[in-house]
Amino acid sequence: MKDTLIIQISDTHLTSMGNKPSFNQRLDPYDKLSLVFADIKKIKKKPEFIVVTGDLIHEGNATDYAHLREILHYKEQELGTPIFVLLGNHDRTEAFYHGFLQKSVKNKYYHKVSVNGKDNYFLDTTFGNIEQGYLDKEQLDWLGENLKKEPKRPALIFMHHPIAGASLHHMRFSVLQNGADLLRVCRQGNIQGIFSGHVHFSTTYSIDGILNSVAESTAYHIDCRDKHQHYVSDASGYSIITLSDKMEIGVENRYLYCGQETIKKIDVAQTDFIDLKTIM
């Protein structure tokens, strides 16, 4: 049996030039990202690819994204592994297009990459600058059309906002607001796993027979066990996704640093889904 590895990094929240680290981080988020890449370098098996699932820069500008482009290009050369990125709610689309992609700005950044007999879909769940995630009709139609072309071909989805699952009951106000729409589209193909971030703690759950895996943040951890008050601590982690030749999936959550001090408290008034009229 030949295993394939995919590395998922999420919520790096790199500090924009001239600003302080977000959420009162004590350790520099660039140093935390360096810890992650140093740990990846120790893995003997070469990953198929690395994906950073959003919140790349904490509300940065084009110069910040250009700097990130340089860092990731260097890491691609060093590791011999392609690195893909997608956007989160703290990213700024226009700055990303100008600084990272160096292309004309589009409303959404999504694409598909086919590797070793499977399709990998990188989706854009951002909606303006609001916290919640939402997948527009254009992306859902695009995904459905692609899945229908080869409905039995194994596929994975990577996105920033997770679908609300059993372990995210208190987070429905913040996650993907139209997860049911995505799941309906997924039934048209052979989606094996959905990988996301956003909530800053790792968890896994199954919906409609699809593994949903949420990665720990590279920048800071959020304890969301208290329904109406969440606690932030410095932390750094990432995920190693293992796929067998039969598309059996396993996820290892790698923790490189776990601070015990609460560096910020977040008050949460309501925890249910928001009114979609706010988005529409």
Side-chain angles (χ1 to χ4, degrees):
M1 183 177 293
K2 182 180 178 182
D3 289 341
T4 297
L5 298 184
I6 297 171
I7 302 296
Q8 182 191 2
I9 299 170
S10 197
D11 296 87
T12 51
H13 285 268
L14 299 173
T15 305
S16 181
M17 188 179 300
N19 294 338
K20 293 181 179 180
S22 61
F23 282 64
N24 301 327
Q25 292 177 72
R26 302 290 191 260
L27 302 182
D28 191 303
Y30 281 97
D31 291 339
K32 292 172 185 168
L33 183 59
S34 295
L35 283 175
V36 168
F37 276 115
D39 200 64
I40 294 171
K41 194 174 180 180
K42 297 175 185 176
I43 301 173
K44 293 183 178 180
K45 187 175 182 63
K46 179 181 175 182
E48 187 171 75
F49 61 82
I50 297 169
V51 56
V52 189
T53 49
D55 280 357
L56 310 171
I57 310 287
H58 193 86
E59 299 170 13
N61 56 41
T63 302
D64 299 316
Y65 285 103
H67 184 210
L68 177 61
R69 174 189 172 100
E70 292 175 2
I71 292 172
L72 296 187
H73 177 71
Y74 174 79
K75 294 301 180 183
E76 281 184 322
Q77 301 302 309
E78 181 182 36
L79 299 170
T81 301
I83 301 176
F84 304 109
V85 302
L86 49 87
L87 298 179
N89 54 292
H90 284 284
D91 287 305
R92 296 297 174 255
T93 300
E94 184 174 345
F96 170 77
Y97 266 92
H98 287 318
F100 192 94
L101 295 181
Q102 298 178 357
K103 294 180 179 179
S104 299
V105 179
K106 295 183 179 180
N107 289 331
K108 296 288 182 178
Y109 177 64
Y110 60 93
H111 62 287
K112 178 181 81 169
V113 177
S114 299
V115 185
N116 293 335
K118 70 176 183 308
D119 293 331
N120 302 283
Y121 293 94
F122 302 93
L123 304 182
D124 187 343
T125 57
T126 64
F127 196 85
N129 294 335
I130 68 172
E131 178 181 346
Q132 293 76 18
Y134 184 79
L135 279 168
D136 59 0
K137 185 177 184 300
E138 180 181 310
Q139 277 187 91
L140 291 171
D141 289 346
W142 170 83
L143 176 62
E145 290 167 4
N146 276 274
L147 291 176
K148 285 187 288 187
K149 289 177 183 177
E150 293 187 85
K152 295 184 179 180
R153 185 180 176 94
L156 304 176
I157 290 175
F158 297 89
M159 59 189 190
H160 182 66
H161 294 83
I163 295 175
S167 51
L168 296 180
H169 186 73
H170 292 170
M171 298 301 295
R172 289 190 289 187
F173 72 97
S174 182
V175 299
L176 188 70
Q177 298 298 294
N178 60 334
D181 294 337
L182 174 58
L183 290 171
R184 279 194 289 271
V185 174
C186 287
R187 296 185 190 115
Q188 301 177 47
N190 186 19
I191 301 295
Q192 298 291 307
I194 298 174
F195 301 90
S196 57
H198 181 60
V199 296
H200 287 245
F201 63 87
S202 63
T203 184
T204 56
Y205 46 94
S206 178
I207 303 179
D208 285 3
I210 300 172
L211 173 69
N212 284 253
S213 178
V214 185
E216 177 63 75
S217 166
T218 301
Y220 52 88
H221 176 81
I222 304 181
D223 181 348
C224 301
R225 289 174 292 178
D226 187 314
K227 188 173 184 179
H228 292 296
Q229 189 164 71
H230 299 168
Y231 301 90
V232 181
S233 58
D234 257 328
S236 190
Y238 71 100
S239 295
I240 302 174
I241 303 163
T242 302
L243 307 172
S244 75
D245 56 356
K246 297 180 180 180
M247 284 303 294
E248 298 165 333
I249 306 177
V251 181
E252 176 189 355
N253 301 306
R254 291 281 294 161
Y255 293 94
L256 306 181
Y257 176 75
C258 293
Q260 300 302 306
E261 179 187 358
T262 296
I263 58 176
K264 186 178 177 66
K265 295 180 181 180
I266 305 170
D267 294 325
V268 179
Q270 69 92 22
T271 59
D272 209 347
F273 294 110
I274 67 169
D275 187 345
L276 280 181
K277 292 179 182 177
T278 305
I279 294 176
M280 301 308 293

